[in-house]
Amino acid sequence: MGKSTNGNRDWTQMYGIYGMEQWQTLIFLLCQAMLFSVLSVFYLLYFDLVCNFFERIFSGGGGTARFAAGITGSVTALSALCLFFAAANFFYSSVPLHFDMAQRIVSAVHDWSSVKLALDLGCCGRGILLNAVATQLKKEGSSGRVVGLDRSKRTTLSTLRAAKMEGVGEYVTCREGDARRLPFPDNYFDVVVSGVFVHTVGREYGARTAEAAAERMRAVAELVRVMKPGGVGVVWDLLHVPEYVLRLQELKMEDVRVSERVTAFMVSSHIVSFRKPSQHVHGPAEVRLDWRLC
């Protein structure tokens, strides 16, 4: 209890370092769950009273009223359970699952000894993935550095504080920027990673609009642009990974691998890894399902 599945990190320690983003969502889910729980208890304790209420609504007699009251109470209880489950999944996904997936992303890059520059696109979760990369560089005794890019200066400041608490502050640099117009030259990074970020690009156009999809594809293209030939990219994201795979095929990326499905924040997520060709490649790229990533 209280330990993550990867390593000996205590969950309370992890929450102490990284905190929790979007805690308002968790509070909302818990409040709704408790409200439905109270209603369920009310239905159980005052069932006859509820039946009398439904008898005034339905003219079909006591049988119809009791059936309606029973169905309503059952749905209310089931809703409470679903909301508690959603809150628990959100709470788990915010740090422990994020930490586990960061370890999987790091392990998808087979050779960190030659990495001089890495990029964490989005550095969401207060730098969990960023610090995992920095920790790996530190283990390798590397002189490399990892750059975290985020849209908010407030987020980058909290990320740097977390890096210092993890003892990898000297390996980490943070910059503000737009994922659709990365402030880096072509062929700059040996490794590019990202965790549950790309799906947020273009959100101002609506989550499921053509404009938002185009903005996400622009971010994927930028991610590829700043990678060195032979460089490795690993992206963990929600919902839209099939779109990324198609875009990577169009960009002639090699060794494209997609992990099995992982439920995060109550939706489907996958890790996709790929390698930028050392030279221009003709023909479609191959996509493989690689369960070893999970």
Side-chain angles (χ1 to χ4, degrees):
M1 289 291 293
K3 300 291 183 180
S4 74
T5 57
N6 283 318
N8 295 318
R9 299 301 302 274
D10 185 86
W11 289 12
T12 56
Q13 179 190 27
M14 291 161 58
Y15 279 106
I17 294 174
Y18 295 105
M20 181 175 179
E21 293 185 322
Q22 298 181 350
W23 56 267
Q24 299 93 334
T25 302
L26 178 63
I27 297 298
F28 173 80
L29 289 172
L30 288 174
C31 289
Q32 293 294 312
M34 288 187 286
L35 173 63
F36 277 90
S37 297
V38 170
L39 289 174
S40 299
V41 173
F42 177 83
Y43 269 87
L44 183 63
L45 295 178
Y46 300 98
F47 186 73
D48 291 336
L49 183 63
V50 174
C51 289
N52 292 334
F53 172 77
F54 276 101
E55 284 181 1
R56 298 175 184 176
I57 298 176
F58 298 102
S59 58
T64 303
R66 291 183 71 85
F67 177 78
I71 289 294
T72 305
S74 299
V75 170
T76 302
L78 183 60
S79 299
L81 288 174
C82 291
L83 286 165
F84 275 121
F85 178 79
N89 182 265
F90 191 91
F91 183 76
Y92 173 69
S93 299
S94 64
V95 175
L97 178 63
H98 205 128
F99 180 81
D100 288 347
M101 297 301 284
Q103 305 309 307
R104 299 182 191 186
I105 291 171
V106 169
S107 66
V109 180
H110 301 299
D111 182 16
W112 284 96
S113 61
S114 60
V115 174
K116 299 301 180 186
L117 275 175
L119 171 67
D120 178 8
L121 185 63
C123 61
C124 297
R126 301 184 185 273
I128 295 176
L129 176 56
L130 183 78
N131 290 337
V133 172
T135 299
Q136 186 64 34
L137 292 173
K138 185 177 181 179
K139 287 180 180 178
E140 295 286 343
S142 171
S143 60
R145 296 180 67 85
V146 56
V147 180
L149 184 129
D150 199 277
R151 291 169 290 197
S152 168
K153 184 176 181 180
R154 180 179 59 84
T155 303
T156 58
L157 291 175
S158 65
T159 299
L160 288 173
R161 286 195 295 268
K164 291 180 180 179
M165 295 176 70
E166 291 279 29
V168 293
E170 67 273 22
Y171 292 88
V172 171
T173 301
C174 288
R175 290 191 60 173
E176 293 178 70
D178 189 337
R180 294 162 288 193
R181 291 174 291 276
L182 293 177
F184 307 108
D186 297 353
N187 308 321
Y188 192 65
F189 293 99
D190 301 291
V191 172
V192 177
V193 298
S194 182
V196 288
F197 170 76
V198 179
H199 73 281
T200 66
V201 176
R203 184 175 285 177
E204 64 270 21
Y205 298 103
R208 298 187 179 278
T209 64
E211 293 84 356
E215 295 301 298
R216 291 192 296 270
M217 295 307 98
R218 183 179 299 177
V220 172
E222 278 290 279
L223 184 151
V224 169
R225 177 185 67 80
V226 300
M227 287 173 55
K228 292 179 181 178
V232 176
V234 190
V235 176
W236 169 43
D237 208 14
L238 313 175
L239 300 173
H240 304 295
V241 170
E243 297 177 7
Y244 310 158
V245 170
L246 290 175
R247 183 56 173 155
L248 292 170
Q249 287 180 286
E250 293 173 356
L251 295 170
K252 311 301 182 186
M253 294 298 102
E254 297 179 340
D255 201 22
V256 180
R257 299 171 182 265
V258 180
S259 76
E260 67 181 354
R261 177 181 180 272
V262 176
T263 301
F265 301 102
M266 298 301 295
V267 298
S268 175
S269 75
H270 297 269
I271 294 174
V272 57
S273 64
F274 58 94
R275 182 168 54 85
K276 188 173 183 178
S278 299
Q279 54 187 358
H280 184 69
V281 177
H282 298 279
E286 179 186 6
V287 179
R288 285 184 282 178
L289 299 178
D290 186 2
W291 311 120
R292 293 174 298 172
L293 285 176
C294 293

